[in-house]
């Protein structure tokens, strides 16, 4: 073997060993069971990072937030309603004056069931995300702590016997806590039942390109330093220091499959051919593009996508509107991509969309470039959220709940997914979700 081939093989082997922190261990720990729910695939979109009901379901645009007269729907892929006619700032072009064209001929609201007024159990992002994935309020855990109770990933892998590559969690970070959410520290579940995770902005951003792209060809004898740098990058869970992932349980074949996927993604990233939405000028839209690629490649039973760009509302209401508009655009693209580009799952997938929390009724003191106030998330209004389901097993053209009569809570998401994928009895019997939580199907 010549030196060039040796280096290439050695480097590729090293990159393969470290390609993702969650694919290092292997081993199935369970037998297949479950099944028989209303869908074969579920996609949960944890929507956008704190969304006010007033600008989403309420379609009040500037009327309730900035004391201006302009109303309208800036989420017209998801919701029925006319877009604002004036004072457009959320689109593309200078000042955001060009609204992004709708992608769906029929809104998701018309295609599915809308819970127009639900309640979050936590006004914070991380607590809200935990409630969506654990089905519990998780009031005692910190911002940088793994979930205390099992996540829906673990329920599915333990009780439905899903392989590791059939559950995926994809999301950009909020304070580096998001990567913690792919499994809990509960002793009866934990890492061995966790989901594969990646943060596209890290994995395929400058750091990922530095350490991972092209299966770096480090020589194990005289280039150990960069190899260890790459390993440190991966072991730190994409900058999440102190939480080295162990035991997700990808089989050797799954590891090879993930390696092939990563090679494909670096190629697509370099060539600009990732399945991004038509407008992908923010992190959420780019995250959804990679989520589409994951779904097309692995056909997961459960794909969870986290979006967070709307969180910019703290300091820029204009940016918040733009991010909300793009979040809707991204969800429309995701659903359209499933229907048109992944025939294996097109007719048997359920999409669930739920914000982790809302935003305050009253603004803070920060004004943006349009002299509009920002909004935080800490009061009762921040517990107002909506939920949407569409696809397999879901009734179309159904709207449930109102401001004066909310129906559903954030912790209902876990039993809902469990019902769709056939492990509802096992999840409810485990006794670890919040008391009073129900499948959203049971709320109808």
């Amino acid at each position: 073997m010549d030196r060039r081939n040796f280096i290439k093989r050695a480097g590729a082997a090293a990159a393969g060993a470290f390609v993702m922190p969650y694919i290092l261990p292997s081993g199935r720990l369970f037998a297949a069971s479950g099944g028989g729910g209303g869908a074969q695939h579920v996609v949960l979109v944890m929507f956008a990072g704190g969304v006010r009901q007033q600008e989403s379901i309420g379609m009040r645009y500037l009327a309730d937030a900035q004391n201006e007269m302009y109303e309208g729907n800036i989420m017209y892929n998801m919701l029925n309603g006319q877009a604002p006619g004036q004072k457009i700032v959320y689109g593309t072009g200078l000042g955001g004056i060009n609204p992004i064209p709708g992608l769906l001929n029929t809104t998701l609201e018309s295609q599915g069931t809308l819970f127009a007024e639900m309640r979050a159990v936590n006004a914070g992002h991380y607590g809200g995300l935990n409630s969506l994935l654990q089905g519990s309020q998780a009031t005692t855990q910190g911002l940088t702590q793994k979930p205390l109770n099992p996540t829906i990933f673990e329920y599915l892998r333990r009780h439905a016997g899903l392989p590791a590559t059939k559950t995926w969690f994809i999301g950009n970070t909020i304070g580096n806590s998001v990567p913690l959410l792919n499994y809990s520290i509960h002793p009866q579940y934990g890492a061995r039942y966790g989901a594969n995770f990646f943060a596209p902005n890290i994995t395929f951003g400058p750091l990922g390109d530095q350490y991972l792209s092209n299966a770096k060809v480090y020589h194990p004898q005289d280039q150990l330093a960069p190899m260890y740098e790459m390993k440190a990058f991966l072991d730190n869970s994409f900058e999440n220091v102190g939480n080295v992932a162990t035991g997700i349980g990808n089989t050797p074949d799954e590891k090879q499959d993930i390696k092939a996927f990563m090679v494909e993604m670096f190629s697509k990233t370099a060539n600009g051919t990732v399945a991004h939405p038509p407008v992908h000028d923010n992190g959420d839209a780019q995250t959804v593009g990679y989520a589409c690629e994951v779904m097309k490649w692995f056909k997961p039973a459960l794909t969870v996508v986290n979006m967070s760009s709307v969180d910019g509302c703290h300091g820029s209401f204009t940016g918040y509107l733009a991010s909300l508009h793009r979040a809707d655009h991204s969800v429309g693209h995701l659903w359209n991509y499933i229907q048109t580009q992944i025939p294996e799952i097109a007719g048997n997938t359920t999409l669930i969309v739920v914000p982790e929390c809302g935003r305050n009724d009253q603004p803070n003191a920060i004004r943006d470039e349009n002299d509009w106030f920002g909004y935080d998330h800490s009061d009762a209004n921040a517990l107002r959220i909506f939920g949407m389901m569409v696809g397999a097993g879901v009734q179309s053209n159904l709207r449930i709940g109102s401001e004066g009569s909310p129906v559903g809570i954030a912790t209902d998401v876990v039993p809902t997914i469990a019902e769709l994928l056939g492990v509802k009895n096992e999840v409810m019997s485990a006794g670890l979700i919040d008391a009073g939580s129900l499948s959203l199907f049971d709320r109808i």
Side-chain angles (χ1 to χ4, degrees):
M1 183 184 302
D2 60 31
R3 176 177 171 80
R4 180 181 177 84
N5 284 335
F6 172 77
I7 292 174
K8 184 175 182 179
R9 292 185 184 184
F18 303 134
V19 65
M20 289 184 71
Y22 298 155
I23 63 173
L24 294 174
S26 64
R28 290 281 300 277
L29 301 171
F30 43 77
S33 63
Q40 295 177 32
H41 308 271
V42 173
V43 181
L44 168 62
V45 175
M46 302 193 294
F47 189 77
V51 178
R52 287 182 93 224
Q53 286 287 88
Q54 287 85 344
E55 289 80 46
S56 53
I57 296 295
M59 302 181 192
R60 299 288 290 162
Y61 190 41
L62 300 175
D64 284 344
Q66 307 300 335
N67 199 29
E68 297 202 29
M69 59 183 292
Y70 308 104
E71 303 178 10
N73 175 24
I74 64 172
M75 298 168 57
Y76 38 69
N77 288 290
M78 295 174 59
L79 303 173
N80 299 332
Q82 293 297 314
Q86 300 181 62
K87 200 73 173 183
I88 309 303
V89 301
Y90 49 81
T92 60
L94 184 64
I97 61 173
N98 303 313
I100 303 172
L103 292 175
L104 302 178
N105 294 325
T106 304
T107 65
L108 296 180
E109 178 179 355
S110 293
Q111 294 184 50
T113 296
L114 174 65
F115 288 79
E117 188 84 25
M118 295 174 59
R119 288 293 176 265
V121 299
N122 193 303
H125 294 303
Y126 193 58
L129 296 176
N130 265 291
S131 68
L132 292 175
L133 293 176
Q134 294 183 59
S136 63
Q137 298 195 30
T139 56
T140 61
Q141 67 179 67
L143 181 63
T144 57
Q145 185 178 16
K146 295 289 287 184
L148 300 178
N149 290 320
T151 62
I152 184 61
F153 305 117
E154 296 157 79
Y155 285 125
L156 288 170
R157 290 201 57 209
R158 177 174 177 179
H159 299 298
L162 294 178
T165 50
K166 293 302 180 184
T167 58
W168 280 86
F169 179 35
I170 303 156
N172 295 325
T173 63
I174 297 177
N176 296 327
S177 292
V178 168
L180 300 175
L181 292 169
N182 64 327
Y183 64 86
S184 74
I185 57 173
H186 195 280
Q188 296 177 21
Y189 292 85
R192 55 186 170 169
Y193 302 118
N196 284 296
F197 168 84
F198 75 81
N201 63 328
I202 301 295
T203 307
F204 302 108
L207 285 176
D209 187 65
Q210 177 183 350
Y211 291 121
L212 298 176
S213 66
N214 301 318
K216 291 294 185 184
V217 288
Y218 300 127
H219 193 289
Q221 293 183 344
D222 56 14
Q223 293 183 292
L224 282 176
M227 291 175 66
Y228 279 118
E229 288 178 5
M230 178 172 67
K231 183 179 185 302
F233 163 68
L234 294 166
D235 284 350
N236 286 337
S237 302
F238 311 115
E239 298 183 329
N240 182 29
V241 177
N243 291 282
V244 178
T246 55
I248 295 298
N250 291 285
T251 66
D253 286 345
E254 287 181 300
K255 293 178 184 178
Q256 293 302 317
D257 199 22
I258 293 173
K259 286 168 57 179
F261 171 74
M262 299 295 282
V263 170
E264 176 81 357
M265 287 304 97
F266 277 111
S267 175
K268 285 194 169 186
T269 301
N271 295 327
T273 56
V274 175
H276 291 314
V279 175
H280 51 277
D281 56 3
N282 75 351
D284 286 347
Q286 293 164 20
T287 294
V288 165
Y290 286 103
C292 289
E293 297 284 0
V294 166
M295 288 187 288
K296 186 170 186 177
W297 186 284
F298 295 101
K299 282 82 177 178
L302 175 63
T303 306
V304 175
V305 183
N306 182 54
M307 298 195 291
S308 60
S309 294
V310 164
D311 195 29
C313 189
H314 293 288
S316 173
F317 194 81
T318 303
Y320 159 76
L321 294 174
S323 295
L324 191 58
H325 190 55
R326 281 154 179 77
D328 168 82
H329 174 70
S330 299
V331 171
H333 170 77
L334 184 151
W335 188 240
N336 185 61
Y337 190 85
I338 290 171
Q339 305 309 312
T340 61
Q341 303 299 318
I342 320 179
E344 299 92 337
I345 72 173
N348 50 46
T349 295
T350 302
L351 172 68
I352 302 173
V353 182
V354 186
E356 82 279 27
C357 68
R359 285 197 174 264
N360 289 352
D361 184 45
Q362 297 299 317
N364 60 33
I366 302 173
R367 295 175 183 256
D368 65 15
E369 66 269 30
N370 285 310
D371 208 25
W372 292 339
F373 290 105
Y375 282 79
D376 303 321
H377 41 91
S378 59
D379 67 10
N381 196 73
L383 297 178
R384 298 178 61 196
I385 59 172
F386 66 88
M388 176 176 284
M389 301 191 298
V390 61
V394 178
Q395 184 175 342
S396 61
N397 276 314
L398 181 62
R399 186 183 181 107
I400 297 171
S402 64
E403 182 174 357
S405 182
V407 176
I409 53 179
T411 51
D412 290 346
V413 169
V414 164
T416 303
I417 296 173
E419 179 170 351
L420 284 164
L421 295 176
V423 294
K424 178 183 172 185
N425 290 339
E426 290 87 341
V427 169
M428 303 304 281
S429 298
L432 297 169
I433 67 172
D434 199 49
S437 299
L438 295 173
S439 163
L440 288 172
F441 293 101
D442 292 332
R443 301 281 189 191
I444 298 174

